[in-house]
Amino acid sequence: MQNLERIYYHAKHTNCYTYFRITGDFNPDVVSELLGLMPEKSWKIGDTRKNGTKYDFACWEFGTCQEYDIFVENQMLKTLTPLLSKIDILKQIKNKFDVSFILEVVPTVRFDEITPCLAPSMKVMQFCCDTGTEIDIDLYVSCPDEL
C-alpha cells in the first residue's frame, strides 16, 4: 500500500442526504391526506418489491435533502421544516397507527477528506422529542479507486 497523504480541505467525494420516514402498519394514502403532503416514496403492506418479494410493512418517505452541507444539521432542518407545523398531526398518526418515525441521515465520507458534522441542532432534537422520532445514521466510508 502506498503512503497516503491526508487532505483536509475539500469534500469532492464526501456527501450526505437526509429524509423523514414513517414505517409500520398503516395506509400511506391516509398519512398523506392527514399531513397534506405527498411522499417521495411510499408502499403498502403486501406491495411487491423489485425483487418480487412482498413488503411486510408500510412506508412513507418525505423531505429528501441531497444538498450537502458540512453542517448536516442544516440538511436535517430542511428535511423537517415542512413537518414542524404538523407535530400535533404526527402525534395523532403515531397514536392511531402502529408506526415509527425516523429521521434518516446517510453520510458517505472518504478518509482523505473533511468529514461532516453530524450533530443535530436543538430545533431538530426538539422535533424528534416532541414526535418520538428516532435519528438513524447510516455511515458509509469510501476510498479512492486505486486502493
Side-chain angles (χ1 to χ4, degrees), residues 31-38 86:
V31 168
S32 296
E33 186 176 319
L34 289 170
L35 291 172
L37 298 170
M38 292 305 299
K86 301 181 183 293

Side-chain angles (χ1 to χ4, degrees), residues 1-8 110-112 142-147:
M1 185 191 276
Q2 299 173 331
N3 186 9
L4 299 175
E5 182 179 328
R6 291 183 183 264
I7 302 170
Y8 291 105
R110 202 167 106 156
F111 75 94
D112 61 346
S142 67
C143 65
D145 293 339
E146 59 273 9
L147 295 180

Side-chain angles (χ1 to χ4, degrees), residues 98-120:
D98 180 21
V99 297
S100 296
F101 297 153
I102 303 145
L103 174 58
E104 292 283 350
V105 180
V106 188
T108 301
V109 299
R110 202 167 106 156
F111 75 94
D112 61 346
E113 294 181 351
I114 191 166
T115 56
C117 174
L118 298 174

Side-chain angles (χ1 to χ4, degrees), residues 85-146:
S85 64
K86 301 181 183 293
I87 289 174
D88 288 338
I89 298 168
L90 288 166
K91 287 179 181 179
Q92 291 170 13
I93 290 168
K94 194 164 191 98
N95 288 333
K96 186 173 184 178
F97 304 107
D98 180 21
V99 297
S100 296
F101 297 153
I102 303 145
L103 174 58
E104 292 283 350
V105 180
V106 188
T108 301
V109 299
R110 202 167 106 156
F111 75 94
D112 61 346
E113 294 181 351
I114 191 166
T115 56
C117 174
L118 298 174
S121 67
M122 289 300 291
K123 194 168 196 173
V124 168
M125 289 191 293
Q126 188 63 56
F127 172 87
C128 291
C129 287
D130 289 347
T131 60
T133 298
E134 298 176 32
I135 299 175
D136 180 35
I137 300 174
D138 294 336
L139 175 65
Y140 296 89
V141 178
S142 67
C143 65
D145 293 339
E146 59 273 9

Side-chain angles (χ1 to χ4, degrees), residues 29-79:
D29 297 334
V30 171
V31 168
S32 296
E33 186 176 319
L34 289 170
L35 291 172
L37 298 170
M38 292 305 299
E40 291 148 3
K41 185 189 296 186
S42 68
W43 60 80
K44 297 176 183 173
I45 293 175
D47 284 354
T48 304
R49 291 182 171 100
K50 290 179 184 177
N51 67 7
T53 62
K54 304 277 186 194
Y55 286 105
D56 60 354
F57 64 96
C59 180
W60 188 91
E61 292 183 5
F62 178 81
T64 301
C65 179
Q66 295 185 357
E67 300 163 18
Y68 177 62
D69 189 321
I70 193 164
F71 298 105
V72 176
E73 68 188 75
N74 295 328
Q75 287 182 262
M76 293 180 203
L77 194 54
K78 282 183 183 178
T79 290

